[in-house]
Structures are given as structure tokens and as C-alpha cells.
Amino acid sequence: MFSSSFSRFFVLALCAVPALTAGTPSPVPVPPTRVRRAPDTAAFNPTDLVPRSLAPADAALAHLTNAQRFARGLPPRSPRLNVPRRRRGALAARQSPTPCALSQATGTIQVNGAPAAAAGSYVAGANAFGEYTLGNDAAAALEVVLLRCDSNTEPFDIRSGANGIAAYPFVGAVSGFANTNDDLGPGSFNYAYIAGTSQVAPGPAQRAPNAFSASTGAQNDAESAIWTLGPDNALTPTWVNTDGAEVAAGTVVYVASEDAFALTGDVGAFEATFGTAIPVTFTFVENA
């Protein structure tokens, strides 16, 4: 009987050894396991910061030097695309003037399909993130200039005027805050804000100054030469993916909860991630 009791005690003691060993601190420091957290892809815009203010367009600011702008608390002027400069004293090559065949028309952008469209909806001034908004007051509509030259169907830039953003005077597209990359297309919720940008060379999105990045501190890529003009003055933005392919099925949506427009390649995937989005179209309305 004693032998049987001792055997049971010995077995229990052996079972207890691993538990005691596991509870004993190791003499060698063990680094903590890094926990990877998935990004909050449900946030159309950042929710953990206060956007920096953006100065509205003002004709009086257009000719200020960067030093004068800094003195007023404004950001520097948007850089221009690199243009070769001739050496001082060098003779300029003789060139025949080649004016654009199409006028640089000025007007506003009407929004079709948005709430209260029957009363007249326009693209209006930017929100706190530098994204253009929806408005019903024609006086508050964003004034734009179509910088087309010889074709309505070749992508061109749009420059903003009244109610635009002084430091980012082009109406372009900025890669979304929650994007997984700079590509739009079927099956992806990725999107691009319709926002104020600097002038960007045509092609895939590039790291370039833009209003969203200025207001948030985030480094988001941008495109500006995205617009074409179709029948009945239909104004269409076309995003270019990183492989150089244009997103033919892109749709502009209005996100009422953010008062912002976005371009996406899959409305269903976008809504499944961010909630209700209203597909809209743009029409250019030339000033009388």
C-alpha cells in the first residue's frame, strides 16, 4: 500500500515540475512579441488629428514671394514643372507662335445626381482636409479654368480661381488616406479625393504638394492632369494606376458624411468599407 501511495506521489510530483518551471522567470530576457494591428480602413479621413488650416485663393496673394508668404503664415508657392532655362546672354531659339486651338474656358462645375441637384448643385470650396465639397449657392461655387489646348479628350489640368485653395491651385486627385496602394479598380475600396493639388506631370500618382497632405501631414501621392471634356460638357476625371493604365471604370462619388468627392474603381467595395456614397457626374458650365 505504501509502495502504491509513493508511486502516485512520485507521478504527481513529476507532472508538477513543468508547471513550476514555466512559472519561474527566465534568467535570459525575452523580447516582447510585437503585435501587428490592422489599419483602420473604415476611416475615409484621419480621425486622430486636427487639420491645419488652408488659406483660400486670393488674387492679392498670387504675386507674393515665398519670404512674404512665410511672413504671413502661408505655405510656400507651389513649385512649377521643370522648364529648361537658357543661359544668361544666350540667344533664344526662334520659334513660331503655336497658340492653343481651344479656349481656356472659365466657369463652374455642376454636380448631377447629388442631393438637391434639382435646385442646382455645384462643386464648392474645400473642407478642412482640402477636399472639394458640394454646394447649392452659385456664389460659393468653385471657379475653374480648363487648361486644355488642342483636344478635349486628352487629359488636361484644371486651375481653380475664386473659392479655391491659394497654395494648391489645381483641381486634381489625391490618393486616399486608407488606401492599400495607389491603384484603383474592381474589387478594391481604394479611392482618390477630388482636392487641391500642385501641377503634376501626366501619368501615375506622384509625391507632390497637395492640400490633403498639407492639412494632415500625411504624404499622399497626387495627379492633376486627369480631366477630359465630353459631349454636353461632361467633365470626367480619369485616374492612372501605378502600371500606367487608366482606370476606365472610375466613378465619382459624393460622401455626405465627409462632405467630399472621391474617385473609386468599385463603388460597392467602397460603400462596404466607408458607408453610403452617391455616384455623381460633373458638367462644366462656362461663364456667360
Side-chain angles (χ1 to χ4, degrees):
M1 179 174 179
F2 172 78
S3 176
S4 176
S5 299
F6 177 79
S7 298
R8 286 197 298 271
F9 174 79
F10 183 73
V11 171
L12 292 172
L14 287 177
C15 292
V17 169
L20 292 173
T21 304
T24 303
S26 169
V28 180
V30 178
T33 302
R34 187 176 297 276
V35 178
R36 291 185 176 272
R37 299 184 182 275
D40 180 10
T41 56
F44 179 82
N45 277 318
T47 58
D48 58 350
L49 55 81
V50 177
R52 301 186 184 100
S53 60
L54 299 169
D58 187 333
L61 302 178
H63 304 292
L64 294 181
T65 65
N66 278 341
Q68 292 170 324
R69 294 177 68 85
F70 291 142
R72 298 189 184 196
L74 298 173
R77 298 178 64 171
S78 299
R80 296 182 178 180
L81 296 180
N82 291 330
V83 177
R85 298 188 179 212
R86 58 190 178 93
R87 291 179 292 104
R88 181 177 296 179
L91 295 176
R94 294 184 178 181
Q95 296 181 346
S96 300
T98 55
C100 291
L102 299 175
S103 66
Q104 310 292 286
T106 300
T108 56
I109 302 174
Q110 180 179 310
V111 181
N112 314 296
S121 295
Y122 300 87
V123 174
N127 62 19
F129 291 101
E131 303 148 6
Y132 285 111
T133 63
L134 177 69
N136 296 110
D137 181 1
L142 176 69
E143 182 183 60
V144 297
V145 181
L146 307 189
L147 301 182
R148 56 193 177 159
C149 189
D150 298 317
S151 172
N152 284 324
T153 57
E154 288 295 321
F156 55 80
D157 290 297
I158 290 181
R159 187 176 64 237
S160 64
N163 300 316
I165 304 171
Y168 309 99
F170 290 85
V171 182
V174 179
S175 184
F177 164 73
N179 281 6
T180 57
N181 52 45
D182 282 346
D183 292 335
L184 309 185
S188 170
F189 63 75
N190 286 354
Y191 59 102
Y193 308 110
I194 303 299
T197 70
S198 55
Q199 188 174 26
V200 186
Q206 304 175 36
R207 187 62 51 85
N210 64 81
F212 178 82
S213 293
S215 69
T216 63
Q219 297 300 314
N220 289 51
D221 297 335
E223 300 180 14
S224 67
I226 61 173
W227 301 97
T228 57
L229 193 68
D232 298 322
N233 280 351
L235 198 57
T236 304
T238 301
W239 182 260
V240 179
N241 279 342
T242 55
D243 62 358
E246 294 183 351
V247 182
T251 302
V252 178
V253 295
Y254 174 65
V255 183
S257 60
E258 303 286 342
D259 193 13
F261 296 100
L263 178 63
T264 181
D266 190 322
V267 176
F270 181 91
E271 287 192 305
T273 304
F274 303 107
T276 302
I278 304 169
V280 299
T281 59
F282 292 152
T283 299
F284 174 67
V285 180
E286 188 170 1
N287 289 347

